[in-house]
Amino acid sequence: MKDQKVIRFSVSLEPSLLEALDTRFIKQGYASRSELVRDLIRQKLVQEQWEDEKSIQNGVLVIVYDHHQRELNQKIIDIQHQAKGVEILCTTHVHIDSHNCLETIIVRGVSHKIAQFELELSGLRGVKFSKLTRTTTFENTY
């Protein structure tokens, strides 16, 4: 990150909202209120970027599935190979226990294609959990 000038501004909150902020967020790992506010702003910016259907986005899809489900492994692989408009950058496969596997799939593409890819995988019989974590390139260094 380039050296950037920091601008201070104030925020007015009701005492109960400030207490909730301090109790739920600051005490759970944020170094300061400023760090929390910066993180919340970045999250909102990522959300906005994903609404632009023309720009390239990045994400991580996590799925947990029953590897005993007939032909599920092959279906997961086929969907990844046949994905149109989604580039599979990396996958990681972990054996959670004797029945369940966790797979992370790092993807790049336009948002609606990634969403379609997520739905195809999450809708497979035997997939127990699916979550897409959205991110962006942060080209504007925010």
Side-chain angles (χ1 to χ4, degrees), residues 72-98:
L72 181 56
N73 286 335
Q74 189 59 49
K75 289 177 185 175
I76 291 170
I77 291 168
D78 289 346
I79 289 172
Q80 290 180 54
H81 281 281
Q82 296 167 4
K84 301 235 187 303
V86 177
E87 182 181 1
I88 309 299
L89 301 176
C90 179
T91 63
T92 304
H93 181 93
V94 178
H95 302 276
I96 297 175
D97 56 35
S98 62

mmCIF file with all atom_site columns, all heavy atoms in Angstrom, residues 72-98:
data_model
loop_
_atom_site.group_PDB
_atom_site.id
_atom_site.type_symbol
_atom_site.label_atom_id
_atom_site.label_alt_id
_atom_site.label_comp_id
_atom_site.label_asym_id
_atom_site.label_entity_id
_atom_site.label_seq_id
_atom_site.pdbx_PDB_ins_code
_atom_site.Cartn_x
_atom_site.Cartn_y
_atom_site.Cartn_z
_atom_site.occupancy
_atom_site.B_iso_or_equiv
_atom_site.pdbx_formal_charge
_atom_site.auth_seq_id
_atom_site.auth_comp_id
_atom_site.auth_asym_id
_atom_site.auth_atom_id
_atom_site.pdbx_PDB_model_num
ATOM 1   N N   . LEU A 1 72 ? -20.516 -37.971 -7.187  1.00 0.00 ? 72 LEU A N   1
ATOM 2   C CA  . LEU A 1 72 ? -20.442 -36.554 -6.841  1.00 0.00 ? 72 LEU A CA  1
ATOM 3   C C   . LEU A 1 72 ? -19.067 -35.969 -7.157  1.00 0.00 ? 72 LEU A C   1
ATOM 4   O O   . LEU A 1 72 ? -18.977 -34.870 -7.714  1.00 0.00 ? 72 LEU A O   1
ATOM 5   C CB  . LEU A 1 72 ? -20.790 -36.333 -5.363  1.00 0.00 ? 72 LEU A CB  1
ATOM 6   C CG  . LEU A 1 72 ? -20.763 -34.885 -4.873  1.00 0.00 ? 72 LEU A CG  1
ATOM 7   C CD1 . LEU A 1 72 ? -21.682 -33.997 -5.712  1.00 0.00 ? 72 LEU A CD1 1
ATOM 8   C CD2 . LEU A 1 72 ? -21.153 -34.817 -3.406  1.00 0.00 ? 72 LEU A CD2 1
ATOM 9   N N   . ASN A 1 73 ? -18.010 -36.670 -6.811  1.00 0.00 ? 73 ASN A N   1
ATOM 10  C CA  . ASN A 1 73 ? -16.663 -36.156 -7.107  1.00 0.00 ? 73 ASN A CA  1
ATOM 11  C C   . ASN A 1 73 ? -16.503 -35.844 -8.588  1.00 0.00 ? 73 ASN A C   1
ATOM 12  O O   . ASN A 1 73 ? -15.970 -34.792 -8.963  1.00 0.00 ? 73 ASN A O   1
ATOM 13  C CB  . ASN A 1 73 ? -15.584 -37.161 -6.678  1.00 0.00 ? 73 ASN A CB  1
ATOM 14  C CG  . ASN A 1 73 ? -15.403 -37.223 -5.193  1.00 0.00 ? 73 ASN A CG  1
ATOM 15  O OD1 . ASN A 1 73 ? -15.697 -36.279 -4.480  1.00 0.00 ? 73 ASN A OD1 1
ATOM 16  N ND2 . ASN A 1 73 ? -14.924 -38.354 -4.710  1.00 0.00 ? 73 ASN A ND2 1
ATOM 17  N N   . GLN A 1 74 ? -16.969 -36.746 -9.439  1.00 0.00 ? 74 GLN A N   1
ATOM 18  C CA  . GLN A 1 74 ? -16.843 -36.533 -10.877 1.00 0.00 ? 74 GLN A CA  1
ATOM 19  C C   . GLN A 1 74 ? -17.684 -35.363 -11.343 1.00 0.00 ? 74 GLN A C   1
ATOM 20  O O   . GLN A 1 74 ? -17.259 -34.571 -12.186 1.00 0.00 ? 74 GLN A O   1
ATOM 21  C CB  . GLN A 1 74 ? -17.224 -37.808 -11.647 1.00 0.00 ? 74 GLN A CB  1
ATOM 22  C CG  . GLN A 1 74 ? -16.905 -37.717 -13.126 1.00 0.00 ? 74 GLN A CG  1
ATOM 23  C CD  . GLN A 1 74 ? -15.424 -37.472 -13.398 1.00 0.00 ? 74 GLN A CD  1
ATOM 24  O OE1 . GLN A 1 74 ? -14.555 -38.150 -12.849 1.00 0.00 ? 74 GLN A OE1 1
ATOM 25  N NE2 . GLN A 1 74 ? -15.126 -36.477 -14.228 1.00 0.00 ? 74 GLN A NE2 1
ATOM 26  N N   . LYS A 1 75 ? -18.887 -35.197 -10.780 1.00 0.00 ? 75 LYS A N   1
ATOM 27  C CA  . LYS A 1 75 ? -19.742 -34.069 -11.151 1.00 0.00 ? 75 LYS A CA  1
ATOM 28  C C   . LYS A 1 75 ? -19.088 -32.742 -10.775 1.00 0.00 ? 75 LYS A C   1
ATOM 29  O O   . LYS A 1 75 ? -19.149 -31.774 -11.533 1.00 0.00 ? 75 LYS A O   1
ATOM 30  C CB  . LYS A 1 75 ? -21.117 -34.198 -10.485 1.00 0.00 ? 75 LYS A CB  1
ATOM 31  C CG  . LYS A 1 75 ? -21.954 -35.312 -11.062 1.00 0.00 ? 75 LYS A CG  1
ATOM 32  C CD  . LYS A 1 75 ? -23.265 -35.442 -10.313 1.00 0.00 ? 75 LYS A CD  1
ATOM 33  C CE  . LYS A 1 75 ? -24.066 -36.633 -10.810 1.00 0.00 ? 75 LYS A CE  1
ATOM 34  N NZ  . LYS A 1 75 ? -25.275 -36.858 -10.032 1.00 0.00 ? 75 LYS A NZ  1
ATOM 35  N N   . ILE A 1 76 ? -18.475 -32.703 -9.593  1.00 0.00 ? 76 ILE A N   1
ATOM 36  C CA  . ILE A 1 76 ? -17.784 -31.478 -9.153  1.00 0.00 ? 76 ILE A CA  1
ATOM 37  C C   . ILE A 1 76 ? -16.653 -31.139 -10.114 1.00 0.00 ? 76 ILE A C   1
ATOM 38  O O   . ILE A 1 76 ? -16.494 -29.988 -10.533 1.00 0.00 ? 76 ILE A O   1
ATOM 39  C CB  . ILE A 1 76 ? -17.275 -31.642 -7.707  1.00 0.00 ? 76 ILE A CB  1
ATOM 40  C CG1 . ILE A 1 76 ? -18.454 -31.675 -6.737  1.00 0.00 ? 76 ILE A CG1 1
ATOM 41  C CG2 . ILE A 1 76 ? -16.299 -30.519 -7.342  1.00 0.00 ? 76 ILE A CG2 1
ATOM 42  C CD1 . ILE A 1 76 ? -18.090 -32.067 -5.314  1.00 0.00 ? 76 ILE A CD1 1
ATOM 43  N N   . ILE A 1 77 ? -15.886 -32.133 -10.483 1.00 0.00 ? 77 ILE A N   1
ATOM 44  C CA  . ILE A 1 77 ? -14.773 -31.920 -11.428 1.00 0.00 ? 77 ILE A CA  1
ATOM 45  C C   . ILE A 1 77 ? -15.305 -31.483 -12.787 1.00 0.00 ? 77 ILE A C   1
ATOM 46  O O   . ILE A 1 77 ? -14.778 -30.548 -13.409 1.00 0.00 ? 77 ILE A O   1
ATOM 47  C CB  . ILE A 1 77 ? -13.919 -33.194 -11.540 1.00 0.00 ? 77 ILE A CB  1
ATOM 48  C CG1 . ILE A 1 77 ? -13.168 -33.424 -10.231 1.00 0.00 ? 77 ILE A CG1 1
ATOM 49  C CG2 . ILE A 1 77 ? -12.944 -33.094 -12.721 1.00 0.00 ? 77 ILE A CG2 1
ATOM 50  C CD1 . ILE A 1 77 ? -12.512 -34.793 -10.125 1.00 0.00 ? 77 ILE A CD1 1
ATOM 51  N N   . ASP A 1 78 ? -16.357 -32.130 -13.277 1.00 0.00 ? 78 ASP A N   1
ATOM 52  C CA  . ASP A 1 78 ? -16.928 -31.779 -14.585 1.00 0.00 ? 78 ASP A CA  1
ATOM 53  C C   . ASP A 1 78 ? -17.422 -30.340 -14.611 1.00 0.00 ? 78 ASP A C   1
ATOM 54  O O   . ASP A 1 78 ? -17.183 -29.612 -15.577 1.00 0.00 ? 78 ASP A O   1
ATOM 55  C CB  . ASP A 1 78 ? -18.075 -32.732 -14.941 1.00 0.00 ? 78 ASP A CB  1
ATOM 56  C CG  . ASP A 1 78 ? -17.597 -34.139 -15.276 1.00 0.00 ? 78 ASP A CG  1
ATOM 57  O OD1 . ASP A 1 78 ? -16.377 -34.328 -15.497 1.00 0.00 ? 78 ASP A OD1 1
ATOM 58  O OD2 . ASP A 1 78 ? -18.449 -35.050 -15.286 1.00 0.00 ? 78 ASP A OD2 1
ATOM 59  N N   . ILE A 1 79 ? -18.109 -29.908 -13.552 1.00 0.00 ? 79 ILE A N   1
ATOM 60  C CA  . ILE A 1 79 ? -18.610 -28.523 -13.504 1.00 0.00 ? 79 ILE A CA  1
ATOM 61  C C   . ILE A 1 79 ? -17.443 -27.540 -13.545 1.00 0.00 ? 79 ILE A C   1
ATOM 62  O O   . ILE A 1 79 ? -17.511 -26.523 -14.233 1.00 0.00 ? 79 ILE A O   1
ATOM 63  C CB  . ILE A 1 79 ? -19.497 -28.313 -12.253 1.00 0.00 ? 79 ILE A CB  1
ATOM 64  C CG1 . ILE A 1 79 ? -20.824 -29.058 -12.434 1.00 0.00 ? 79 ILE A CG1 1
ATOM 65  C CG2 . ILE A 1 79 ? -19.742 -26.824 -11.997 1.00 0.00 ? 79 ILE A CG2 1
ATOM 66  C CD1 . ILE A 1 79 ? -21.692 -29.087 -11.195 1.00 0.00 ? 79 ILE A CD1 1
ATOM 67  N N   . GLN A 1 80 ? -16.359 -27.859 -12.845 1.00 0.00 ? 80 GLN A N   1
ATOM 68  C CA  . GLN A 1 80 ? -15.198 -26.965 -12.859 1.00 0.00 ? 80 GLN A CA  1
ATOM 69  C C   . GLN A 1 80 ? -14.577 -26.892 -14.253 1.00 0.00 ? 80 GLN A C   1
ATOM 70  O O   . GLN A 1 80 ? -14.225 -25.812 -14.735 1.00 0.00 ? 80 GLN A O   1
ATOM 71  C CB  . GLN A 1 80 ? -14.158 -27.437 -11.843 1.00 0.00 ? 80 GLN A CB  1
ATOM 72  C CG  . GLN A 1 80 ? -14.609 -27.243 -10.413 1.00 0.00 ? 80 GLN A CG  1
ATOM 73  C CD  . GLN A 1 80 ? -13.574 -27.707 -9.422  1.00 0.00 ? 80 GLN A CD  1
ATOM 74  O OE1 . GLN A 1 80 ? -12.428 -27.281 -9.486  1.00 0.00 ? 80 GLN A OE1 1
ATOM 75  N NE2 . GLN A 1 80 ? -13.975 -28.576 -8.502  1.00 0.00 ? 80 GLN A NE2 1
ATOM 76  N N   . HIS A 1 81 ? -14.463 -28.025 -14.925 1.00 0.00 ? 81 HIS A N   1
ATOM 77  C CA  . HIS A 1 81 ? -13.853 -28.047 -16.262 1.00 0.00 ? 81 HIS A CA  1
ATOM 78  C C   . HIS A 1 81 ? -14.736 -27.378 -17.311 1.00 0.00 ? 81 HIS A C   1
ATOM 79  O O   . HIS A 1 81 ? -14.224 -26.837 -18.285 1.00 0.00 ? 81 HIS A O   1
ATOM 80  C CB  . HIS A 1 81 ? -13.542 -29.487 -16.679 1.00 0.00 ? 81 HIS A CB  1
ATOM 81  C CG  . HIS A 1 81 ? -12.305 -30.033 -16.061 1.00 0.00 ? 81 HIS A CG  1
ATOM 82  N ND1 . HIS A 1 81 ? -11.038 -29.732 -16.506 1.00 0.00 ? 81 HIS A ND1 1
ATOM 83  C CD2 . HIS A 1 81 ? -12.137 -30.864 -15.009 1.00 0.00 ? 81 HIS A CD2 1
ATOM 84  C CE1 . HIS A 1 81 ? -10.149 -30.345 -15.764 1.00 0.00 ? 81 HIS A CE1 1
ATOM 85  N NE2 . HIS A 1 81 ? -10.788 -31.050 -14.841 1.00 0.00 ? 81 HIS A NE2 1
ATOM 86  N N   . GLN A 1 82 ? -16.038 -27.432 -17.112 1.00 0.00 ? 82 GLN A N   1
ATOM 87  C CA  . GLN A 1 82 ? -16.966 -26.902 -18.105 1.00 0.00 ? 82 GLN A CA  1
ATOM 88  C C   . GLN A 1 82 ? -17.437 -25.483 -17.796 1.00 0.00 ? 82 GLN A C   1
ATOM 89  O O   . GLN A 1 82 ? -18.230 -24.929 -18.545 1.00 0.00 ? 82 GLN A O   1
ATOM 90  C CB  . GLN A 1 82 ? -18.173 -27.833 -18.222 1.00 0.00 ? 82 GLN A CB  1
ATOM 91  C CG  . GLN A 1 82 ? -17.805 -29.209 -18.726 1.00 0.00 ? 82 GLN A CG  1
ATOM 92  C CD  . GLN A 1 82 ? -18.913 -30.229 -18.542 1.00 0.00 ? 82 GLN A CD  1
ATOM 93  O OE1 . GLN A 1 82 ? -20.012 -29.901 -18.103 1.00 0.00 ? 82 GLN A OE1 1
ATOM 94  N NE2 . GLN A 1 82 ? -18.620 -31.474 -18.860 1.00 0.00 ? 82 GLN A NE2 1
ATOM 95  N N   . ALA A 1 83 ? -16.948 -24.907 -16.729 1.00 0.00 ? 83 ALA A N   1
ATOM 96  C CA  . ALA A 1 83 ? -17.388 -23.568 -16.330 1.00 0.00 ? 83 ALA A CA  1
ATOM 97  C C   . ALA A 1 83 ? -17.057 -22.556 -17.420 1.00 0.00 ? 83 ALA A C   1
ATOM 98  O O   . ALA A 1 83 ? -15.909 -22.442 -17.840 1.00 0.00 ? 83 ALA A O   1
ATOM 99  C CB  . ALA A 1 83 ? -16.748 -23.173 -15.009 1.00 0.00 ? 83 ALA A CB  1
ATOM 100 N N   . LYS A 1 84 ? -18.060 -21.844 -17.858 1.00 0.00 ? 84 LYS A N   1
ATOM 101 C CA  . LYS A 1 84 ? -17.874 -20.811 -18.888 1.00 0.00 ? 84 LYS A CA  1
ATOM 102 C C   . LYS A 1 84 ? -17.834 -19.456 -18.206 1.00 0.00 ? 84 LYS A C   1
ATOM 103 O O   . LYS A 1 84 ? -18.709 -19.115 -17.433 1.00 0.00 ? 84 LYS A O   1
ATOM 104 C CB  . LYS A 1 84 ? -19.018 -20.866 -19.881 1.00 0.00 ? 84 LYS A CB  1
ATOM 105 C CG  . LYS A 1 84 ? -19.150 -22.207 -20.593 1.00 0.00 ? 84 LYS A CG  1
ATOM 106 C CD  . LYS A 1 84 ? -19.133 -22.020 -22.069 1.00 0.00 ? 84 LYS A CD  1
ATOM 107 C CE  . LYS A 1 84 ? -19.425 -23.265 -22.857 1.00 0.00 ? 84 LYS A CE  1
ATOM 108 N NZ  . LYS A 1 84 ? -18.592 -24.389 -22.629 1.00 0.00 ? 84 LYS A NZ  1
ATOM 109 N N   . GLY A 1 85 ? -16.799 -18.693 -18.482 1.00 0.00 ? 85 GLY A N   1
ATOM 110 C CA  . GLY A 1 85 ? -16.682 -17.369 -17.906 1.00 0.00 ? 85 GLY A CA  1
ATOM 111 C C   . GLY A 1 85 ? -16.135 -17.351 -16.489 1.00 0.00 ? 85 GLY A C   1
ATOM 112 O O   . GLY A 1 85 ? -16.126 -16.319 -15.848 1.00 0.00 ? 85 GLY A O   1
ATOM 113 N N   . VAL A 1 86 ? -15.714 -18.526 -16.003 1.00 0.00 ? 86 VAL A N   1
ATOM 114 C CA  . VAL A 1 86 ? -15.118 -18.624 -14.670 1.00 0.00 ? 86 VAL A CA  1
ATOM 115 C C   . VAL A 1 86 ? -13.784 -19.333 -14.805 1.00 0.00 ? 86 VAL A C   1
ATOM 116 O O   . VAL A 1 86 ? -13.705 -20.437 -15.341 1.00 0.00 ? 86 VAL A O   1
ATOM 117 C CB  . VAL A 1 86 ? -16.021 -19.415 -13.691 1.00 0.00 ? 86 VAL A CB  1
ATOM 118 C CG1 . VAL A 1 86 ? -15.346 -19.573 -12.347 1.00 0.00 ? 86 VAL A CG1 1
ATOM 119 C CG2 . VAL A 1 86 ? -17.363 -18.731 -13.543 1.00 0.00 ? 86 VAL A CG2 1
ATOM 120 N N   . GLU A 1 87 ? -12.758 -18.678 -14.324 1.00 0.00 ? 87 GLU A N   1
ATOM 121 C CA  . GLU A 1 87 ? -11.425 -19.276 -14.327 1.00 0.00 ? 87 GLU A CA  1
ATOM 122 C C   . GLU A 1 87 ? -11.170 -19.878 -12.947 1.00 0.00 ? 87 GLU A C   1
ATOM 123 O O   . GLU A 1 87 ? -11.301 -19.207 -11.929 1.00 0.00 ? 87 GLU A O   1
ATOM 124 C CB  . GLU A 1 87 ? -10.391 -18.182 -14.624 1.00 0.00 ? 87 GLU A CB  1
ATOM 125 C CG  . GLU A 1 87 ? -8.986  -18.668 -14.700 1.00 0.00 ? 87 GLU A CG  1
ATOM 126 C CD  . GLU A 1 87 ? -8.002  -17.539 -14.967 1.00 0.00 ? 87 GLU A CD  1
ATOM 127 O OE1 . GLU A 1 87 ? -8.413  -16.360 -15.080 1.00 0.00 ? 87 GLU A OE1 1
ATOM 128 O OE2 . GLU A 1 87 ? -6.799  -17.842 -15.043 1.00 0.00 ? 87 GLU A OE2 1
ATOM 129 N N   . ILE A 1 88 ? -10.848 -21.159 -12.919 1.00 0.00 ? 88 ILE A N   1
ATOM 130 C CA  . ILE A 1 88 ? -10.514 -21.836 -11.670 1.00 0.00 ? 88 ILE A CA  1
ATOM 131 C C   . ILE A 1 88 ? -9.018  -21.627 -11.452 1.00 0.00 ? 88 ILE A C   1
ATOM 132 O O   . ILE A 1 88 ? -8.189  -22.130 -12.209 1.00 0.00 ? 88 ILE A O   1
ATOM 133 C CB  . ILE A 1 88 ? -10.822 -23.350 -11.728 1.00 0.00 ? 88 ILE A CB  1
ATOM 134 C CG1 . ILE A 1 88 ? -12.248 -23.611 -12.220 1.00 0.00 ? 88 ILE A CG1 1
ATOM 135 C CG2 . ILE A 1 88 ? -10.540 -24.004 -10.384 1.00 0.00 ? 88 ILE A CG2 1
ATOM 136 C CD1 . ILE A 1 88 ? -13.337 -23.049 -11.378 1.00 0.00 ? 88 ILE A CD1 1
ATOM 137 N N   . LEU A 1 89 ? -8.660  -20.861 -10.433 1.00 0.00 ? 89 LEU A N   1
ATOM 138 C CA  . LEU A 1 89 ? -7.263  -20.542 -10.180 1.00 0.00 ? 89 LEU A CA  1
ATOM 139 C C   . LEU A 1 89 ? -6.568  -21.602 -9.345  1.00 0.00 ? 89 LEU A C   1
ATOM 140 O O   . LEU A 1 89 ? -5.392  -21.881 -9.529  1.00 0.00 ? 89 LEU A O   1
ATOM 141 C CB  . LEU A 1 89 ? -7.154  -19.188 -9.480  1.00 0.00 ? 89 LEU A CB  1
ATOM 142 C CG  . LEU A 1 89 ? -7.753  -18.001 -10.241 1.00 0.00 ? 89 LEU A CG  1
ATOM 143 C CD1 . LEU A 1 89 ? -7.672  -16.741 -9.401  1.00 0.00 ? 89 LEU A CD1 1
ATOM 144 C CD2 . LEU A 1 89 ? -7.058  -17.813 -11.570 1.00 0.00 ? 89 LEU A CD2 1
ATOM 145 N N   . CYS A 1 90 ? -7.319  -22.186 -8.395  1.00 0.00 ? 90 CYS A N   1
ATOM 146 C CA  . CYS A 1 90 ? -6.718  -23.154 -7.481  1.00 0.00 ? 90 CYS A CA  1
ATOM 147 C C   . CYS A 1 90 ? -7.827  -23.897 -6.747  1.00 0.00 ? 90 CYS A C   1
ATOM 148 O O   . CYS A 1 90 ? -8.873  -23.323 -6.466  1.00 0.00 ? 90 CYS A O   1
ATOM 149 C CB  . CYS A 1 90 ? -5.825  -22.425 -6.474  1.00 0.00 ? 90 CYS A CB  1
ATOM 150 S SG  . CYS A 1 90 ? -5.045  -23.483 -5.263  1.00 0.00 ? 90 CYS A SG  1
ATOM 151 N N   . THR A 1 91 ? -7.581  -25.160 -6.449  1.00 0.00 ? 91 THR A N   1
ATOM 152 C CA  . THR A 1 91 ? -8.494  -25.909 -5.591  1.00 0.00 ? 91 THR A CA  1
ATOM 153 C C   . THR A 1 91 ? -7.684  -26.611 -4.511  1.00 0.00 ? 91 THR A C   1
ATOM 154 O O   . THR A 1 91 ? -6.530  -26.969 -4.720  1.00 0.00 ? 91 THR A O   1
ATOM 155 C CB  . THR A 1 91 ? -9.307  -26.973 -6.364  1.00 0.00 ? 91 THR A CB  1
ATOM 156 O OG1 . THR A 1 91 ? -8.403  -27.935 -6.910  1.00 0.00 ? 91 THR A OG1 1
ATOM 157 C CG2 . THR A 1 91 ? -10.139 -26.353 -7.464  1.00 0.00 ? 91 THR A CG2 1
ATOM 158 N N   . THR A 1 92 ? -8.312  -26.774 -3.367  1.00 0.00 ? 92 THR A N   1
ATOM 159 C CA  . THR A 1 92 ? -7.712  -27.509 -2.257  1.00 0.00 ? 92 THR A CA  1
ATOM 160 C C   . THR A 1 92 ? -8.761  -28.474 -1.737  1.00 0.00 ? 92 THR A C   1
ATOM 161 O O   . THR A 1 92 ? -9.912  -28.094 -1.523  1.00 0.00 ? 92 THR A O   1
ATOM 162 C CB  . THR A 1 92 ? -7.282  -26.558 -1.120  1.00 0.00 ? 92 THR A CB  1
ATOM 163 O OG1 . THR A 1 92 ? -6.393  -25.588 -1.647  1.00 0.00 ? 92 THR A OG1 1
ATOM 164 C CG2 . THR A 1 92 ? -6.608  -27.320 0.001   1.00 0.00 ? 92 THR A CG2 1
ATOM 165 N N   . HIS A 1 93 ? -8.350  -29.701 -1.543  1.00 0.00 ? 93 HIS A N   1
ATOM 166 C CA  . HIS A 1 93 ? -9.256  -30.756 -1.099  1.00 0.00 ? 93 HIS A CA  1
ATOM 167 C C   . HIS A 1 93 ? -8.761  -31.300 0.234   1.00 0.00 ? 93 HIS A C   1
ATOM 168 O O   . HIS A 1 93 ? -7.597  -31.670 0.359   1.00 0.00 ? 93 HIS A O   1
ATOM 169 C CB  . HIS A 1 93 ? -9.280  -31.874 -2.151  1.00 0.00 ? 93 HIS A CB  1
ATOM 170 C CG  . HIS A 1 93 ? -10.192 -32.993 -1.827  1.00 0.00 ? 93 HIS A CG  1
ATOM 171 N ND1 . HIS A 1 93 ? -11.486 -33.033 -2.276  1.00 0.00 ? 93 HIS A ND1 1
ATOM 172 C CD2 . HIS A 1 93 ? -10.013 -34.116 -1.089  1.00 0.00 ? 93 HIS A CD2 1
ATOM 173 C CE1 . HIS A 1 93 ? -12.054 -34.140 -1.832  1.00 0.00 ? 93 HIS A CE1 1
ATOM 174 N NE2 . HIS A 1 93 ? -11.181 -34.815 -1.108  1.00 0.00 ? 93 HIS A NE2 1
ATOM 175 N N   . VAL A 1 94 ? -9.657  -31.330 1.225   1.00 0.00 ? 94 VAL A N   1
ATOM 176 C CA  . VAL A 1 94 ? -9.297  -31.789 2.568   1.00 0.00 ? 94 VAL A CA  1
ATOM 177 C C   . VAL A 1 94 ? -10.310 -32.842 3.004   1.00 0.00 ? 94 VAL A C   1
ATOM 178 O O   . VAL A 1 94 ? -11.518 -32.653 2.854   1.00 0.00 ? 94 VAL A O   1
ATOM 179 C CB  . VAL A 1 94 ? -9.309  -30.612 3.576   1.00 0.00 ? 94 VAL A CB  1
ATOM 180 C CG1 . VAL A 1 94 ? -8.984  -31.087 4.977   1.00 0.00 ? 94 VAL A CG1 1
ATOM 181 C CG2 . VAL A 1 94 ? -8.348  -29.517 3.137   1.00 0.00 ? 94 VAL A CG2 1
ATOM 182 N N   . HIS A 1 95 ? -9.810  -33.918 3.577   1.00 0.00 ? 95 HIS A N   1
ATOM 183 C CA  . HIS A 1 95 ? -10.678 -34.956 4.126   1.00 0.00 ? 95 HIS A CA  1
ATOM 184 C C   . HIS A 1 95 ? -10.998 -34.576 5.569   1.00 0.00 ? 95 HIS A C   1
ATOM 185 O O   . HIS A 1 95 ? -10.125 -34.608 6.428   1.00 0.00 ? 95 HIS A O   1
ATOM 186 C CB  . HIS A 1 95 ? -9.995  -36.323 4.073   1.00 0.00 ? 95 HIS A CB  1
ATOM 187 C CG  . HIS A 1 95 ? -9.606  -36.702 2.687   1.00 0.00 ? 95 HIS A CG  1
ATOM 188 N ND1 . HIS A 1 95 ? -10.482 -37.293 1.819   1.00 0.00 ? 95 HIS A ND1 1
ATOM 189 C CD2 . HIS A 1 95 ? -8.436  -36.544 2.008   1.00 0.00 ? 95 HIS A CD2 1
ATOM 190 C CE1 . HIS A 1 95 ? -9.879  -37.491 0.656   1.00 0.00 ? 95 HIS A CE1 1
ATOM 191 N NE2 . HIS A 1 95 ? -8.633  -37.042 0.748   1.00 0.00 ? 95 HIS A NE2 1
ATOM 192 N N   . ILE A 1 96 ? -12.255 -34.215 5.832   1.00 0.00 ? 96 ILE A N   1
ATOM 193 C CA  . ILE A 1 96 ? -12.658 -33.802 7.174   1.00 0.00 ? 96 ILE A CA  1
ATOM 194 C C   . ILE A 1 96 ? -12.788 -35.014 8.084   1.00 0.00 ? 96 ILE A C   1
ATOM 195 O O   . ILE A 1 96 ? -12.314 -35.009 9.211   1.00 0.00 ? 96 ILE A O   1
ATOM 196 C CB  . ILE A 1 96 ? -13.984 -33.025 7.132   1.00 0.00 ? 96 ILE A CB  1
ATOM 197 C CG1 . ILE A 1 96 ? -13.810 -31.727 6.336   1.00 0.00 ? 96 ILE A CG1 1
ATOM 198 C CG2 . ILE A 1 96 ? -14.483 -32.731 8.534   1.00 0.00 ? 96 ILE A CG2 1
ATOM 199 C CD1 . ILE A 1 96 ? -15.089 -30.963 6.139   1.00 0.00 ? 96 ILE A CD1 1
ATOM 200 N N   . ASP A 1 97 ? -13.476 -36.031 7.594   1.00 0.00 ? 97 ASP A N   1
ATOM 201 C CA  . ASP A 1 97 ? -13.645 -37.272 8.347   1.00 0.00 ? 97 ASP A CA  1
ATOM 202 C C   . ASP A 1 97 ? -13.886 -38.389 7.347   1.00 0.00 ? 97 ASP A C   1
ATOM 203 O O   . ASP A 1 97 ? -13.672 -38.208 6.142   1.00 0.00 ? 97 ASP A O   1
ATOM 204 C CB  . ASP A 1 97 ? -14.775 -37.153 9.386   1.00 0.00 ? 97 ASP A CB  1
ATOM 205 C CG  . ASP A 1 97 ? -16.112 -36.754 8.786   1.00 0.00 ? 97 ASP A CG  1
ATOM 206 O OD1 . ASP A 1 97 ? -16.426 -37.170 7.642   1.00 0.00 ? 97 ASP A OD1 1
ATOM 207 O OD2 . ASP A 1 97 ? -16.868 -36.036 9.465   1.00 0.00 ? 97 ASP A OD2 1
ATOM 208 N N   . SER A 1 98 ? -14.363 -39.534 7.806   1.00 0.00 ? 98 SER A N   1
ATOM 209 C CA  . SER A 1 98 ? -14.512 -40.686 6.915   1.00 0.00 ? 98 SER A CA  1
ATOM 210 C C   . SER A 1 98 ? -15.619 -40.522 5.877   1.00 0.00 ? 98 SER A C   1
ATOM 211 O O   . SER A 1 98 ? -15.698 -41.293 4.934   1.00 0.00 ? 98 SER A O   1
ATOM 212 C CB  . SER A 1 98 ? -14.753 -41.952 7.738   1.00 0.00 ? 98 SER A CB  1
ATOM 213 O OG  . SER A 1 98 ? -15.955 -41.832 8.472   1.00 0.00 ? 98 SER A OG  1
#
